[in-house]
Amino acid sequence: MQLKDTVALVTGGTAGLGLATARRLVAAGARVLVMGRSEATGRAAADGLGPLAAFVAGDVTEDEAVGRVLDAAGEMGELRTVVCCAGTTYSKQILGRRVMRADEFEAVIRTNLFGTFNVIRQAVPRMAAQPLVEEDRGVVITTSSIAAWDGQNGQCAYAASKAAIAGMTLPLARELAPHAIRVVDIAPGLFDTRLTSAVPDGVLEHLRGQVPHPKRFGSGDEFAALAEHVIGNSMLNGETVRLDAGLRMAPL
Ligand SMILES: NC(=O)c1ccc[n+]([C@@H]2O[C@H](COP(=O)([O-])OP(=O)(O)OC[C@H]3O[C@@H](n4cnc5c(N)ncnc54)[C@H](OP(=O)(O)O)[C@@H]3O)[C@@H](O)[C@H]2O)c1
């Protein structure tokens, strides 16, 4: 699907993988709305992206906020791309001194899983109303994680949320196929962002040592390049693509 002169919504587009994706989509000629909760971070991100970009603050778990963001995207033109990057990480075990409380588990699931679903469920009726261009009406990209399969000790909430995102890819793609909307999930390995900077250094070094090749963290632009390819390649649908330099995380 061509990006030029279309509108893309990037949730979590104010930092990290989402911001790098927004940058790529703008460079390809799309008008891009980035969404995040922090006004200051969002405004700075949109300013850096230039005149084709806009920012609207909102939390992906809140219905009204998502509706407001989608209304703003609609005012920018034809919404054809939704990239769901908004997400959080949180690690705690279920036995021991600092155990994960039920509300903490629910909060991770709510942001990562329900937040992703909440954006998609409100966006697709709008995308389905667009005229067909070439083969597609639109593309939805979700962001899971290799933790969906290789989750570490303490990652049960995060890994569960990401496995569920990967799991909803095929049913959504099947449901949206008659509307010519594709759904593709990207499962990143280790990328240099604010999210990974919160992980203790020792753990990061241990994980970096496990990456087969290239032996480094990925950059946001490498994630963004795959997102751009997914949008352009109509044969990609109903699939999770691991982007991980061959990493299969062993237990810590
Ligand atoms: N970095 C990695 O190595 C890695 C690996 C695997 C998967 N992932 C996944 O990739 C996605 C992006 O991660 P990242 O590394 O780019 O993280 P990041 O740098 O922390 O960026 C997260 C983005 O999501 C936004 N966000 C968080 N919670 C939100 C909410 N409830 N509503 C709206 N926006 C929200 C943040 O803005 P505000 O804080 O202002 O809301 C920010 O724009 C996440 O889903 C993460 O799980 C990352």
Side-chain angles (χ1 to χ4, degrees):
M1 189 181 73
Q2 288 290 322
L3 276 161
K4 193 160 169 39
D5 299 328
T6 67
V7 175
L9 167 63
V10 184
T11 75
T14 61
L17 305 184
L19 177 57
T21 302
R23 208 174 280 126
R24 274 250 171 191
L25 303 190
V26 163
R31 290 186 288 280
V32 179
L33 185 77
V34 293
M35 175 186 188
R37 291 162 304 173
S38 160
E39 285 275 351
T41 311
R43 299 244 165 267
D47 287 350
L49 288 166
L52 286 179
F55 161 71
V56 177
D59 187 322
V60 288
T61 67
E62 290 171 8
D63 287 354
E64 184 275 331
V66 171
R68 193 161 27 81
V69 166
L70 286 166
D71 286 347
E75 281 164 23
M76 293 167 73
E78 290 182 356
L79 177 68
R80 292 189 177 272
T81 304
V82 173
V83 184
C84 299
C85 281
T88 187
T89 187
Y90 193 74
S91 294
K92 259 191 184 178
Q93 295 169 315
I94 62 166
L95 279 177
R97 274 192 306 123
R98 265 183 81 249
V99 297
M100 181 169 308
R101 299 190 313 264
D103 63 299
E104 292 172 325
F105 183 89
E106 282 176 352
V108 175
I109 300 291
R110 186 161 175 79
T111 298
N112 291 354
L113 176 58
F114 175 70
T116 298
F117 173 74
N118 197 29
V119 170
I120 295 171
R121 83 182 173 88
Q122 295 194 56
V124 291
R126 302 169 191 242
M127 295 165 81
Q130 305 295 1
L132 198 62
V133 171
E134 300 160 17
E135 291 179 294
D136 296 320
R137 274 201 177 79
V139 181
V140 175
I141 297 176
T142 57
T143 309
S144 60
S145 165
I146 61 168
W149 302 274
D150 315 343
Q152 295 294 337
N153 183 337
Q155 277 194 311
C156 84
Y158 182 73
S161 71
K162 295 302 187 175
I165 290 173
M168 69 188 188
T169 308
L170 185 59
L172 283 174
R174 286 177 165 162
E175 179 179 342
L176 298 175
H179 302 281
I181 297 171
R182 292 184 287 118
V183 183
V184 174
D185 175 44
I186 299 176
L190 299 169
F191 283 71
D192 261 321
T193 65
R194 190 179 68 178
L195 187 127
T196 38
S197 67
V199 179
D201 285 349
V203 176
L204 286 185
E205 277 321 302
H206 178 80
L207 292 173
R208 199 190 317 265
Q210 292 182 25
V211 183
H213 177 77
K215 224 169 193 33
R216 61 172 174 80
F217 283 18
S219 70
D221 192 56
E222 288 168 319
F223 175 92
L226 178 56
E228 187 180 8
H229 180 79
V230 165
I231 295 162
N233 189 333
S234 295
M235 283 301 287
L236 276 166
N237 193 14
E239 182 59 290
T240 293
V241 183
R242 287 180 72 124
L243 186 66
D244 60 9
L247 175 62
R248 303 292 180 270
M249 289 192 290
L252 282 172

